[in-house]
Amino acid sequence: MKKYLLIVGLAFASVLSMQAQKFALVDMDYIFKNIPAYERANEQLNQVSKKWQAEVEAVQIEAQTLYKNYQNEVVFLSQEQKKTRQDAIVAKEKEAADLKKKYFGPEGELFKKRTALMTPIQEEVYNAVKDIADLRGYQLILDRASDNGIIFGSPKVDISNEVLSKLGYSN
């Protein structure tokens, strides 16, 4: 009987403590799609990415052309000429790989540009969410867009529009 009362008491206490905690949901994808500066930054990143990709592809095509020409002429070339052509092909392939790494690598130009353009916007949104959490007393705010296992979220606890309003964007 004592165990039963203890279990019921613990269950009751945990329910009360869960009710005391306030939480909210936010949809970061929705928020960012409604911030024109974020959309402009994304478009700018897409344009520069396409430009850099075209540069990389041009160098790769040059390497392929060198290789095809080498394959077609290999029977007519001396050992020294073969070596020179092979070295040129390897150098062009390395140039393409280096260019790709420079632009698209983990610390590449695209990463740096994305960080420079997006971080200020993301920090502004984070600060708005934090201010609303402090104002309303939320202990937890979950991002419904992050796909962390939220199966259902009531629109009553979604503060996405409030965040946009705090940032000065109407929805």
Side-chain angles (χ1 to χ4, degrees), residues 67-106:
Y67 180 73
K68 286 178 186 174
N69 291 342
Y70 172 77
Q71 289 291 85
N72 291 334
E73 300 168 1
V74 71
V75 293
F76 305 113
L77 299 175
S78 68
Q79 277 307 112
E80 187 177 308
Q81 290 172 324
K82 285 180 186 178
K83 176 77 171 124
T84 303
R85 295 269 187 103
Q86 289 170 353
D87 290 346
I89 293 167
V90 169
K92 194 55 82 171
E93 288 173 342
K94 183 178 181 339
E95 181 184 345
D98 290 346
L99 199 57
K100 187 173 184 177
K101 183 179 177 185
K102 173 186 170 190
Y103 290 144
F104 302 108

Side-chain angles (χ1 to χ4, degrees), residues 130-145:
K130 187 177 177 309
D131 290 347
I132 292 169
D134 291 342
L135 180 70
R136 297 267 185 95
Y138 295 127
Q139 285 85 26
L140 177 67
I141 296 182
L142 301 171
D143 179 9
R144 78 171 33 185

Side-chain angles (χ1 to χ4, degrees), residues 10-158:
L10 287 174
F12 184 70
S14 67
V15 167
L16 285 177
S17 69
M18 284 194 309
Q19 287 178 345
Q21 293 178 349
K22 291 178 71 178
F23 65 93
L25 296 176
V26 65
D27 188 336
M28 295 304 276
D29 286 345
Y30 171 77
I31 290 170
F32 287 130
K33 285 178 184 170
N34 283 283
I35 298 176
Y38 190 84
E39 291 297 311
R40 284 191 302 272
N42 258 336
E43 183 57 34
Q44 189 177 354
L45 287 171
N46 286 338
Q47 289 173 358
V48 77
S49 176
K50 286 177 185 174
K51 176 185 164 220
W52 289 339
Q53 185 62 39
E55 283 183 44
V56 171
E57 287 173 1
V59 175
Q60 288 173 333
I61 289 170
E62 287 178 36
Q64 290 171 353
T65 302
L66 287 174
Y67 180 73
K68 286 178 186 174
N69 291 342
Y70 172 77
Q71 289 291 85
N72 291 334
E73 300 168 1
V74 71
V75 293
F76 305 113
L77 299 175
S78 68
Q79 277 307 112
E80 187 177 308
Q81 290 172 324
K82 285 180 186 178
K83 176 77 171 124
T84 303
R85 295 269 187 103
Q86 289 170 353
D87 290 346
I89 293 167
V90 169
K92 194 55 82 171
E93 288 173 342
K94 183 178 181 339
E95 181 184 345
D98 290 346
L99 199 57
K100 187 173 184 177
K101 183 179 177 185
K102 173 186 170 190
Y103 290 144
F104 302 108
E107 296 295 322
E109 295 298 318
L110 187 63
F111 174 80
K112 291 174 186 173
K113 192 158 191 72
R114 182 180 313 278
T115 301
L117 292 172
M118 298 298 193
T119 300
I121 299 168
Q122 291 168 336
E123 286 178 357
E124 185 180 13
V125 171
Y126 170 79
N127 289 332
V129 170
K130 187 177 177 309
D131 290 347
I132 292 169
D134 291 342
L135 180 70
R136 297 267 185 95
Y138 295 127
Q139 285 85 26
L140 177 67
I141 296 182
L142 301 171
D143 179 9
R144 78 171 33 185
S146 70
D147 198 25
N148 281 339
I150 298 173
I151 296 170
F152 172 77
S154 172
K156 294 176 185 174
V157 296
D158 191 328

